[in-house]
Amino acid sequence: MMTTTTGRVCTADMTTGERLWEVDVLHRYPHLECDQGWMVFDDGEPDELVVWQSARRGVYRRAGAIRTGHAIRAFRLVGAHVLVATLDDLLLAYDVRSLAQTHLVHLGGTEHEHGNVTYIDMDDDFFYVAGAGQLSLTVIGRASQRVAMTLHDWIAGDWLAELTMLILARDRMKDEGTGYAKTFLRQL
């Protein structure tokens, strides 16, 4: 998968370099997310994401579009779900199979209001929102759609270590006997 300076999204065989599929988009270097046979990218409209599904190896067919009604700040595809942060302080989740919205979370009153979103992610239980300036990370429960944890002020630039600690804390919240790096436990 690649995007080009001419505004194309392409797939190619990594061994031969042969282009397997390509499509023109409305702007240069669209943001592209791929996972489990799904591809989502922005196509120039500020509130729209285009959804494609794998038809066969390296070839995709258009499945539709998600129109959020809000200018998009960031998005992340995980499996068949896309998480969207908007410029007006919303966090929206969609099922790409049906193109239906599944979650709506207001970020107002958190450290992520006024567009303070630099990265978003999700797993089966939580949405993760990272911001700049105050160097903050907020964890929001998918089921409750409420803030479960906020880490700020003490977070430094080493995001990998901080994200690892967050994942371990999440594991510990689920089961008191976990929350330790699995490789560390194997070494013991």
Side-chain angles (χ1 to χ4, degrees), residues 10-24:
C10 311
T11 60
D13 184 302
M14 294 299 288
T15 305
T16 65
E18 173 192 3
R19 285 220 176 153
L20 302 173
W21 174 86
E22 64 186 344
V23 64
D24 289 328

Side-chain angles (χ1 to χ4, degrees), residues 6 9-10 13 16 26 31 35 50 52 61 72 109 152 169 184:
T6 59
V9 173
C10 311
D13 184 302
T16 65
L26 298 177
H31 177 83
D35 198 14
V50 183
W52 295 73
R61 67 168 180 76
I72 296 170
H152 56 84
F184 176 73

Side-chain angles (χ1 to χ4, degrees), residues 155-166:
I155 295 179
D158 188 358
W159 283 102
L160 182 57
E162 305 305 337
L163 188 54
T164 301
M165 294 302 293
L166 176 67

Side-chain angles (χ1 to χ4, degrees), residues 106-126:
H106 294 273
L107 295 175
T110 71
E111 282 136 9
H112 305 289
E113 64 185 346
H114 310 300
N116 182 21
V117 175
T118 56
Y119 181 78
I120 56 176
D121 209 341
M122 65 180 152
D123 62 20
D124 291 340
D125 301 311
F126 297 102

Side-chain angles (χ1 to χ4, degrees), residues 20 29 31-33 37 43 47 51-52 56 58 75 82 89 91 95 103 106 112 123-124 134 137 145 173 183 188:
L20 302 173
Y29 296 118
H31 177 83
L32 171 71
E33 295 273 330
D43 197 11
D47 67 340
V51 179
W52 295 73
R56 62 182 189 280
F75 66 93
V82 65
D89 302 333
L91 197 59
D95 184 320
H103 295 82
H106 294 273
H112 305 289
D123 62 20
D124 291 340
Q134 295 176 354
L137 181 63
Q145 298 182 20
M173 285 172 49
T183 54
L188 288 177

